[in-house]
Amino acid sequence: MAQKTDLVTVLTQEDVLTEEKASQVRVEQITSGISIEQIIQDKGWATESQIVSARAKMLNMPFVDVASLSVSPDVIAKIPESVARHYTLVPVTIEDGILQVAMKDPLDLQVIEFLETKTSLNIKPVLAVPEDIIQSINKNYNVGIEKEVTAALRETESEVDKVEKELKTLEDAQDMIKSAPVARIVSTTLEYAIKSKASDVHIEPLEDRTRVRFRIDGVLRERLSLPPRVHDSVVSRIKILSHMKIDEKRIPQDGRFSFAAGKEEVDLRISTLPTNHGEKVVMRLLRKSAKVLTLDQLGMVGSARKNFKDVIHKSNGIVLVTGPTGSGKTTTLRTALTMINNVDVNISTLEDPVEYSIPGVNQSQINPQAGFTFATGLRSLLRQDPDVIMVGEVRDKETMELAVQAALTGHLVFSTLHTNSAAGALPRLLDMGAEPFLLASTIQMIVAQRLVRSVNMDSMETYTPDEKVEKMIRESLGGLFPKEITPGKLELIRIKPDADTSTAYSGRIGIYEVLVMNEKIARLVLEHETADRVEEQAVADGMIRMIQDGFLKAVQKQTTLEEVLRVIQD
C-alpha cells in the first residue's frame, strides 16, 4: 500500500497530478480495489511513460526511454530475441562487464539471475515502458539480418571475388559456393524468412544493387540490400540447392529444396527468371508444420459458415473457391478436405504443386512436361474409385468438362478459379464453353475470398469516423449493421501515429462471400444472365457480400477499414 501511495506522491511532486487529483485517486483505489496505475491511466491524467518514470524514482532505479534509443548490434547479440520477447526486456548498453537491460519487471530476481548465467555478465536492470521495449525489440532484432549479412560480406570479401572468378564448371561451383560466405547469406535470409513468417522471398537484381524483399502477411517489405557483385553467387548457391543448371541463365528454371531453421522445416519452391540486370529468384515457403485452420480461424462466420459446412458434406456436385493468387484458396480447400476426411471417404487430389500434406488423402502433383496435366490426371482419378476429388485449378475447357462429368456421376469435386467474385465464376465457366444446364445441375457452392491483415491491438487506437464514412458502412451493411450502435457512435480502429507500422498487423483472416446454388440462380444461369444479376439474386437469397463481411470485421475491430478497402480495391 505504501508503494502505491508513494507513486501518487512522486507524480504530484512532478506536477503530473494536482493535490486534488491525487486525493481522488487514493480514495478511488481504496473503494474500488483497482490499482493506482490503472486508475490514473483510465482517467487520462498521466501517460504510461510518466507513470513508469515515477515508478523508477519510487524504486530508486534509472528510467530509460528505449523508444528513441539506438542499440549497438554487439549489445543486442548478448540476449537472444526469443528471451527478450518472452520476458519483455531489451539490452541497452554494456560497459565494464555490466549489461544494462531495460525490463518490464526489473524486480524479477529469477530473470536477472537467468540473464547473468546466459550472458556471463553482471546485469543492471532499468525500467522502461513495456510497449517501448516491444518496439525496440522489433526495431533492433528485425534489422539483424542486414547486420549478419553485411558482416559475412565484410569478413570474406576476397572469397566472394574468388567464387565469382572460378565459376567454370558445375563441380567447381559446387565446391566453391558451399565454402563461400554466400552460403551464410542464403541461410541467414531463409532463417529470417521463417522467423518473420514470410510466404515468399524475392531476390531482385537492380542496376546498382540486389534488393531482397519478403512477403509478410500478403505485403512485400524490403529488408535487405546486397552489392551487385555477389548477386550471381547468391543465385548460383540457390540453384545448386534446387538442383538447377547454374550455367543456364537465358531461360526460366524451377526447382525445390527443404530447409530447416531450429525445429521448423520448410519446403521451398524456387523460380528463376532472366531480367535485364540478371536473374531474379522467387522462393515460396511451404511450412511442413503448418496447422489446419478451423472455420473460426479462417474468419468464416454466420450464414457463410453454416452454408459452407452443409455443402461440403454433400455426396456430389462442384464446390469452387475463387479469388486472386495469394488469397488463401488452398488453405480454405485444405480445411474443407480435413473436415470431411475419414476412413469411409476416399479423397484424391491433383495439385500444382502439392503445398501441404493432408494425412489420409491421396495427393498427386501434376507434371505437364510428362503429359500429366489436370485433365489427364482427372481421367485417371475417376478410375481410382474416389468419393471426393480436389483439382487444383480449372484452367481450360477440358478440365472443366471432366469436373462436370465427375460431379454428374456421383462425385464431390472441389476446385479453384481466378475470378473477382462468387457470381463472376458462372459467366466465366460459360465463356469456357460449359453447357448452362450442366452448370445449373452440378454447381453446389461458389466461395469468393480475400485475406485482410489482423491487427496487433497494442499498435491500434480507436476513433470515430466522419459522417460520410459511417453512412457508407451503414448503407453497405443495411440490416447487418449492429443495431446497438447509434448514429455517431461507431468506433473503428487505426494505427497509432507513433506505432511501428511493420508490427501493427500480425497474421491474416479471410473475408468471404458464399453463393449457394438454388432454383432461382439456376434459372439465371440457363438464361445466360450477367454476374451482376446473379449476385443481386444471391444477395436477395441471403448471401453476405465480401465487402460487407470486411466492413463487419472492421466494425468488430478485427481489422482496419483501410485494410478492407485496400484488399477489396486490389
Side-chain angles (χ1 to χ4, degrees):
M1 190 69 175
Q3 277 195 358
K4 290 177 182 174
T5 307
D6 286 346
L7 181 64
V8 175
T9 303
V10 173
L11 288 170
T12 307
Q13 291 169 349
E14 297 274 307
D15 293 328
V16 176
L17 294 179
T18 63
E19 290 290 349
E20 184 183 347
K21 286 179 178 177
S23 177
Q24 191 176 329
V25 169
R26 288 192 177 101
V27 170
E28 191 168 328
Q29 196 279 323
I30 293 168
T31 56
S32 69
I34 300 171
S35 73
I36 280 178
E37 293 182 22
Q38 191 64 52
I39 292 168
I40 295 170
Q41 278 188 302
D42 288 346
K43 291 183 178 298
W45 288 347
T47 64
E48 190 175 7
S49 180
Q50 288 172 324
I51 291 172
V52 175
S53 177
R55 268 189 68 211
K57 287 188 177 178
M58 185 182 78
L59 297 169
N60 195 26
M61 184 177 284
F63 169 76
V64 177
D65 179 12
V66 294
S68 59
L69 205 63
S70 182
V71 185
S72 159
D74 296 335
V75 174
I76 282 291
K78 296 296 180 186
I79 296 177
E81 182 179 358
S82 57
V83 173
R85 288 193 185 279
H86 184 74
Y87 294 110
T88 315
L89 54 85
V90 67
V92 178
T93 59
I94 184 169
E95 193 173 340
D96 298 328
I98 298 173
L99 180 64
Q100 192 180 64
V101 181
M103 300 176 67
K104 175 184 177 181
D105 183 5
L107 299 179
D108 193 329
L109 299 178
Q110 278 188 312
V111 174
I112 293 169
E113 189 178 337
F114 166 70
L115 292 176
E116 288 182 338
T117 304
K118 192 158 189 72
T119 61
S120 300
L121 294 166
N122 291 322
I123 300 297
K124 180 184 178 183
V126 297
L127 257 174
V129 176
E131 201 171 297
D132 291 348
I133 293 175
I134 292 167
Q135 281 192 29
S136 179
I137 291 170
N138 293 333
K139 181 173 74 173
N140 288 292
Y141 284 98
N142 273 354
V143 297
I145 178 175
E146 188 155 6
K147 289 168 184 171
E148 285 184 50
V149 170
T150 303
L153 290 173
R154 188 171 59 245
E155 286 169 22
T156 47
E157 239 175 352
S158 59
E159 288 186 56
V160 176
D161 286 334
K162 196 178 176 188
V163 170
E164 290 178 330
K165 289 173 185 173
E166 300 193 23
L167 283 181
K168 295 171 184 172
T169 67
L170 180 59
E171 289 77 17
D172 288 342
Q174 286 174 329
D175 291 341
M176 292 301 302
I177 293 173
K178 281 177 186 174
S179 62
V182 176
R184 199 142 43 103
I185 294 171
V186 172
S187 63
T188 302
T189 301
L190 290 175
E191 284 168 10
Y192 178 80
I194 292 170
K195 183 173 67 174
S196 58
K197 297 182 180 175
S199 60
D200 303 84
V201 179
H202 293 237
I203 300 174
E204 304 164 301
L206 306 179
E207 189 173 357
D208 58 342
R209 64 191 176 99
T210 289
R211 177 174 65 181
V212 183
R213 294 192 289 173
F214 299 80
R215 189 175 293 281
I216 302 170
D217 292 336
V219 178
L220 275 175
R221 299 170 182 171
E222 183 174 344
R223 285 286 187 268
L224 180 63
S225 185
L226 298 173
R229 53 198 296 278
V230 302
H231 178 80
D232 287 346
S233 301
V234 169
V235 174
S236 295
R237 171 65 179 166
I238 294 168
K239 281 184 168 183
I240 286 174
L241 292 169
S242 312
H243 305 290
M244 298 182 196
K245 296 177 181 177
I246 65 169
D247 54 345
E248 179 55 85
K249 302 181 181 182
R250 301 164 299 170
I251 59 172
Q253 294 187 66
D254 294 307
R256 62 190 308 157
F257 66 93
S258 293
F259 181 83
K263 293 181 180 179
E264 187 163 9
E265 189 174 357
V266 296
D267 283 331
L268 291 115
R269 253 170 50 205
I270 315 299
S271 172
T272 66
L273 181 74
T275 71
N276 57 334
H277 294 300
E279 288 181 284
K280 176 184 175 179
V281 177
V282 174
M283 299 187 281
R284 164 66 59 89
L285 280 73
L286 307 171
R287 285 167 173 76
K288 293 184 176 181
S289 60
K291 295 177 182 176
V292 178
L293 301 179
T294 63
L295 293 181
D296 280 341
Q297 290 168 327
L298 289 176
M300 195 180 290
V301 295
S303 61
R305 172 184 167 149
K306 181 184 181 302
N307 290 334
F308 186 84
K309 285 181 73 174
D310 289 346
V311 172
I312 65 172
H313 286 95
K314 289 185 181 258
S315 59
N316 60 70
I318 296 175
V319 174
L320 290 175
V321 182
T322 76
T325 301
S327 60
K329 299 187 297 294
T330 303
T331 302
T332 299
L333 285 175
R334 185 178 179 221
T335 297
L337 293 181
T338 302
M339 288 173 69
I340 61 176
N341 184 20
N342 60 62
V343 292
D344 303 329
V345 181
N346 178 19
I347 304 176
S348 297
T349 74
L350 291 170
E351 303 173 60
D352 181 25
V354 174
E355 293 191 12
Y356 302 108
S357 177
I358 308 174
V361 174
N362 309 293
Q363 296 174 268
S364 301
Q365 181 165 320
I366 67 165
N367 185 350
Q369 288 83 7
F372 184 25
T373 63
F374 282 129
T376 57
L378 193 44
R379 282 198 185 88
S380 299
L381 277 192
L382 290 172
R383 295 192 288 271
Q384 290 279 315
D385 185 32
D387 297 299
V388 177
I389 298 169
M390 195 274 274
V391 182
E393 186 185 343
V394 176
R395 291 180 180 171
D396 51 44
K397 182 180 179 182
E398 188 180 8
T399 307
M400 179 265 300
E401 287 176 342
L402 285 166
V404 168
Q405 288 303 316
L408 287 171
T409 52
H411 304 90
L412 184 61
V413 181
F414 291 88
S415 192
T416 70
L417 199 63
H418 288 277
T419 59
N420 290 326
S421 65
L426 293 167
R428 173 74 186 279
L429 292 170
L430 291 172
D431 289 343
M432 279 187 182
E435 293 290 346
F437 70 95
L438 291 177
L439 280 188
S441 59
T442 55
I443 296 289
Q444 294 278 10
M445 176 175 66
I446 303 169
V447 179
Q449 67 178 79
R450 300 286 190 281
L451 293 176
V452 295
R453 290 178 291 173
S454 304
V455 296
N456 174 4
M457 287 305 290
D458 291 337
S459 302
M460 296 290 156
E461 64 179 10
T462 58
Y463 73 100
T464 302
D466 61 39
E467 288 181 26
K468 196 182 294 183
V469 172
E470 182 172 339
K471 184 182 177 186
M472 172 192 72
I473 295 173
R474 282 184 179 273
E475 287 179 353
S476 175
L477 291 178
L480 298 170
F481 192 90
K483 293 181 177 58
E484 65 273 15
I485 302 177
T486 55
K489 297 296 183 182
L490 174 64
E491 280 193 348
L492 301 176
I493 54 173
R494 63 188 174 196
I495 301 174
K496 291 177 183 174
D498 58 344
D500 182 353
T501 55
S502 67
T503 58
Y505 295 98
S506 178
R508 290 186 288 176
I509 54 170
I511 55 175
Y512 301 89
E513 58 186 28
V514 177
L515 185 154
V516 178
M517 183 65 77
N518 58 30
E519 285 184 21
K520 292 176 183 176
I521 294 174
R523 195 175 303 120
L524 295 178
V525 173
L526 293 172
E527 293 169 0
H528 284 260
E529 283 287 358
T530 62
D532 288 344
R533 182 70 190 90
V534 171
E535 182 174 293
E536 188 181 309
Q537 182 59 54
V539 170
D541 294 335
M543 182 183 84
I544 297 174
R545 292 164 59 231
M546 197 156 34
I547 192 165
Q548 291 177 313
D549 192 27
F551 284 161
L552 282 171
K553 286 181 168 71
V555 170
Q556 293 160 1
K557 299 184 176 66
Q558 295 181 53
T559 190
T560 62
L561 180 63
E562 291 77 15
E563 180 68 6
V564 172
L565 295 175
R566 176 186 73 84
V567 169
I568 292 293
Q569 285 165 2
D570 286 351

